[in-house]
Amino acid sequence: MANVQVQPYLFFAGRCEEAIEFYIEALDAELQLLMRFNESPEPMPEAMLPDDFDNKIMHASIKVGDSIVMMSDGVDVQNQFGGVSLSISCYSQEQAHKMFDGLAQGGEVQMPLTPTFWSPLFGSLTDKFGVSWMVGCEPESDN
């Protein structure tokens, strides 16, 4: 299965634009693509979108390091995350602290960044959008 990638696709129930701005700040993410429902080359099926969703985000992608995270406002205003956690592998403790602290703004920390037997720093949290994150730091190489 060469050349296959699994990429997360997150749905924000009408808060996608806010989430993009948050992740750009918290993770130094770069916006790659943004398309609103009213920019679709084909009209949405009647009654598919909630009221006032025309200007919401149909599809966006951000680049975080070497990874792409795709996202949308979706069409379900009751969307809830569950059973998934995004994992970030940082290459310095400074980077791990910056990303963890950024994601924790307005969120809830389950495990503060702390040394573990598998990582010089590891922590977990749920951000203000309900997305679960694990942030770890790769051990420094002896090279």
Side-chain angles (χ1 to χ4, degrees), residues 36-67:
R36 299 181 186 280
F37 285 104
N38 62 12
E39 298 171 332
S40 174
E42 296 181 7
M44 293 288 118
E46 193 171 324
M48 180 179 163
L49 294 179
D51 291 341
D52 300 326
F53 252 57
D54 286 347
N55 201 39
K56 296 292 185 180
I57 297 172
M58 182 171 69
H59 176 75
S61 61
I62 59 172
K63 186 172 184 181
V64 181
D66 292 330
S67 301

Side-chain angles (χ1 to χ4, degrees), residues 79-133:
N79 189 44
Q80 297 290 318
F81 284 99
V84 174
S85 189
L86 300 181
S87 179
I88 298 176
S89 296
C90 299
Y91 294 98
S92 73
Q93 291 188 23
E94 179 183 346
Q95 183 183 43
H97 277 287
K98 182 180 185 305
M99 291 189 166
F100 188 89
D101 294 345
L103 290 168
Q105 296 297 313
E108 182 179 332
V109 173
Q110 282 80 45
M111 178 181 176
L113 276 178
T114 189
T116 64
F117 69 88
W118 68 87
S119 175
L121 281 179
F122 177 84
S124 62
L125 60 97
T126 302
D127 72 23
K128 68 181 184 177
F129 300 101
V131 178
S132 175
W133 294 88

